[in-house]
């Protein structure tokens, strides 16, 4: 009986230490890649994007930290989420109203932008493999990479202009995907 009592105490202590360790790790990753929310409510659209924003920190980003030809969680930490309350046209293609995770496949001259119905706790399975399940892709569109003269230090997703454009900006590139209401 005494053994069982100590065994339970040790298990509870280990569980408590594990919980505290995860909380510390979680807060540290958020400090280096803070989470932000983008809200767009115009032109009949009601959109929300939640993602974490890593910094460049003198690193080679595309073709380095973010390899070409591999699915990227499109930010840091958890998978990026994209919510639309209405049906939406993305690069002319229909995206039904709903909650999605947003993934990209960067290449030197084009990106594939994927809206996925899966829910993922974290954006990666391992250091080199995204959690993305292609079987759950609802919509995939391609967009051209544009080089910029100004380096963007912190990864940024924006919805800007009228008509709206979904923009991904980091390092010396911008990728833009046109959005529009599905209303006639």
């Amino acid at each position: 009986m005494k053994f069982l009592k100590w065994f339970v105490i040790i298990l509870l202590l280990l569980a408590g230490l594990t919980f505290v360790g995860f909380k510390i790790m979680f807060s540290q990753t958020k400090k280096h890649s803070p989470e932000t929310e983008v809200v767009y409510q115009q032109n009949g659209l009601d959109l929300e994007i939640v993602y974490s924003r890593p910094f460049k920190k003198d690193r080679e980003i595309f073709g380095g930290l973010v390899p070409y030809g591999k699915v990227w969680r499109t930010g840091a930490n958890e998978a990026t989420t994209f919510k639309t309350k209405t049906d939406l046209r993305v690069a002319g293609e229909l995206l039904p109203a709903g909650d999605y995770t947003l993934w990209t496949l960067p290449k030197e001259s084009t990106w594939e932008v994927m809206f996925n119905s899966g829910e993922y706790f974290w954006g990666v399975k391992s250091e080199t493999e995204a959690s993305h399940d292609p079987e759950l892709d609802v919509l995939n569109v391609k967009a051209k990479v544009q080089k910029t003269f100004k380096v963007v230090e912190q990864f940024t997703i924006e919805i800007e202009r009228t008509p709206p454009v979904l923009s991904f900006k980091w390092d010396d590139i911008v990728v833009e995907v046109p959005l529009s209401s599905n209303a006639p």
Side-chain angles (χ1 to χ4, degrees):
M1 193 61 144
K2 194 174 189 177
F3 171 77
L4 184 60
K5 177 181 170 184
W6 280 106
F7 181 74
V8 169
I9 290 171
I10 290 171
L11 277 178
L12 289 173
L13 284 172
L14 287 174
L17 287 173
T18 301
F19 177 77
V20 169
F22 275 116
K23 286 289 187 187
I24 290 170
M25 182 184 76
F26 195 72
S27 71
Q28 290 300 312
T29 61
K30 293 290 185 183
K31 182 169 67 174
H32 296 292
S33 297
E35 187 174 88
T36 194
E37 179 180 44
V38 176
V39 175
Y40 183 89
Q41 296 173 320
Q42 296 177 41
N43 305 318
L45 301 177
D46 191 348
L47 311 172
E48 177 186 302
I49 302 168
V50 178
Y51 71 108
S52 291
R53 301 183 64 203
F55 289 88
K56 179 174 169 47
K57 297 180 188 174
D58 294 323
R59 299 178 287 186
E60 178 186 358
I61 300 302
F62 299 104
L65 180 66
V66 179
Y68 289 125
K70 290 188 117 183
V71 174
W72 179 41
R73 62 182 151 181
T74 316
N77 305 326
E78 299 92 348
T80 295
T81 60
F82 183 97
K83 297 178 184 181
T84 176
K85 292 186 179 176
T86 59
D87 291 350
L88 172 69
R89 293 264 170 207
V90 178
E93 301 292 325
L94 179 64
L95 179 67
D99 296 356
Y100 301 96
T101 49
L102 183 62
W103 306 86
T104 51
L105 179 67
K107 296 180 185 172
E108 286 189 61
S109 60
T110 61
W111 279 21
E112 187 173 333
V113 180
M114 299 163 274
F115 296 84
N116 186 283
S117 63
E119 292 184 25
Y120 307 89
F121 170 71
W122 207 244
V124 291
K125 295 178 196 174
S126 67
E127 194 171 310
T128 60
E129 186 181 0
S131 297
H132 172 257
D133 179 355
E135 298 281 324
L136 300 176
D137 283 353
V138 174
L139 178 65
N140 294 10
V141 297
K142 291 192 189 296
K144 290 183 181 177
V145 171
Q146 302 167 45
K147 289 284 189 177
T148 64
F149 294 105
K150 180 183 173 192
V151 171
V152 176
E153 176 64 26
Q154 191 176 18
F155 177 63
T156 303
I157 299 175
E158 296 176 330
I159 300 175
E160 50 191 356
R161 298 191 295 236
T162 302
V165 174
L166 174 63
S167 299
F168 305 94
K169 301 175 181 179
W170 202 16
D171 197 5
D172 64 345
I173 68 122
V174 174
V175 175
E176 296 181 328
V177 180
L179 305 175
S180 62
S181 169
N182 192 46

